[in-house]
Amino acid sequence: MTTSPAAKDAVAQDLPAGTTPYYANMHTWIQRVTLICLVALVVEGAFTLPFMAVYYGYPTLSLTQICSELRKIQYSDDTQECQVPYPILGPPEGARAKDKAQDRWGVQPTPGYHRLGFRELVRIHDQRAARDAAAHATPK
């Protein structure tokens, strides 16, 4: 069975711009797969953040404290703090402390900080608070 040129033109007009009848089915499946992947990424992100926050110590530390502790460890600088809200036209976060980081650069960069364990930021934060309290309590 052959189709007339008029029927082919009618089918081609129903397709999105840039899609030929030969590839119409493939484009439909690519759109479906892309939509499924995007939804999966959103769901993954929605579930990952709460679990990471609890892993780092969320009920004990606020999200801002967790961010600040992570920056202090990453840049080996106890003066690093997360700014909330961050200035819109401010420098990239960590730009001022990048030279203090103890990372080893090369083909495969190696971070200079250790891998954090479950709720280890709470212990590190408490130790830092105790050191600060002891430093302020001692007379000079």
Side-chain angles (χ1 to χ4, degrees):
M1 176 177 175
T2 60
T3 57
S4 66
K8 288 182 183 179
D9 289 341
V11 170
Q13 289 176 356
D14 293 339
L15 296 174
T19 302
T20 61
Y22 185 77
Y23 292 109
N25 191 29
M26 180 185 70
H27 284 200
T28 302
W29 279 103
I30 288 174
Q31 287 176 342
R32 290 176 185 165
V33 168
T34 303
L35 183 63
I36 290 169
C37 289
L38 289 173
V39 169
L41 283 172
V42 168
V43 170
E44 176 193 10
F47 285 120
T48 301
L49 181 64
F51 288 122
M52 284 180 54
V54 169
Y55 182 83
Y56 287 133
Y58 172 67
T60 308
L61 300 175
S62 70
L63 293 177
T64 305
Q65 288 174 322
I66 290 173
C67 175
S68 295
E69 290 298 325
L70 287 172
R71 289 195 55 196
K72 289 174 185 176
I73 291 171
Q74 180 182 4
Y75 293 113
S76 305
D77 182 9
D78 286 348
T79 62
Q80 290 294 307
E81 294 288 334
C82 286
Q83 297 175 357
V84 177
Y86 197 77
I88 293 174
L89 299 175
E93 198 144 0
R96 293 185 200 110
K98 68 179 180 186
D99 297 333
K100 296 179 184 179
Q102 298 174 355
D103 300 340
R104 282 179 275 140
W105 292 97
V107 175
Q108 182 66 40
T110 307
Y113 50 89
H114 70 282
R115 189 172 292 196
L116 293 171
F118 179 71
R119 298 185 62 79
E120 192 173 352
L121 280 184
V122 175
R123 181 182 55 81
I124 293 169
H125 177 74
D126 291 343
Q127 289 173 351
R128 183 174 288 113
R131 278 195 313 265
D132 292 345
H136 291 310
T138 57
K140 293 183 179 183

